Amino acid sequence: MKLTKNKILITGGATGIGFGLAERFISENNTVIICGRRASALKEAAEKLPTVITKVCDLAVEADRIELYNWVAKHHSDLNVLVNNAGIQNWMNINDNDFSEKAGAEITTNIVAPLHLTTLFCRLNSLATIINVTSGLAFVPLATVPVYCGTKAFMRSFTLSLRHSLKASGIEVIEMIPPALNTDLGGKGLHDEYPSVSDFVESVFKQMGEGKTELTFGTSTDRAAANNETIAAYFNRMNP
């Protein structure tokens, strides 16, 4: 994709990877819209990025997703990049009393929402690029976040199929595959020891500039290239 003069929607763009991408895209002379369910987080992001456009939207709610699309189609019909970034991660065990409830929330936010948004935004004649943010955990699961890993494996598979099915339309489909990064995903402090979002963003921007459609960083590079034998070795190290 071209890296400048786009109009981009980033879901979950107020914090973490989403905010890092918004900041970097804005620095490259792009117009960026971010959405999220917390008005306070969007306000804080806008204070740091004065040109960003914000939209409150709970992606777990079907009506909110439809309203988001209708709002974009009406006010930003030249939008040409959709970044499906929003996601939630629950550390849990199959024996937890609320396991099913938490699993349902993850599946809705991490799978149902990006699938629905993709079908909606493909109606825009201007759409040129879809970026799906998956995870290194799509390849090798961490047992303490079992449903999150499954949702990312689903999105990895879906992205491959989507890229193939949209070839004739000219819409480029990019998969962004982060490893664990220093964000609050899953809870504050859980990922403090991991690489910074800014390092990840700089790496994936370089890869996009080179025309790559599968963007990896750090340990996700090895995982994306893994075979069954090396996946088993990774799994055993991650899940002693």
Side-chain angles (χ1 to χ4, degrees), residues 65 84 108-121 132 154-155 158:
R65 299 193 296 266
N84 286 312
T108 298
T109 298
N110 298 1
I111 294 179
V112 176
L115 263 64
H116 189 199
L117 290 179
T118 298
T119 62
L120 291 171
F121 281 86
N132 288 333
F154 178 96
M155 286 303 298
F158 173 69

Side-chain angles (χ1 to χ4, degrees), residues 15-16 181-192:
T15 59
L181 298 172
N182 188 351
T183 71
D184 290 337
L185 182 68
K188 287 186 179 296
L190 291 174
H191 297 96
D192 288 353

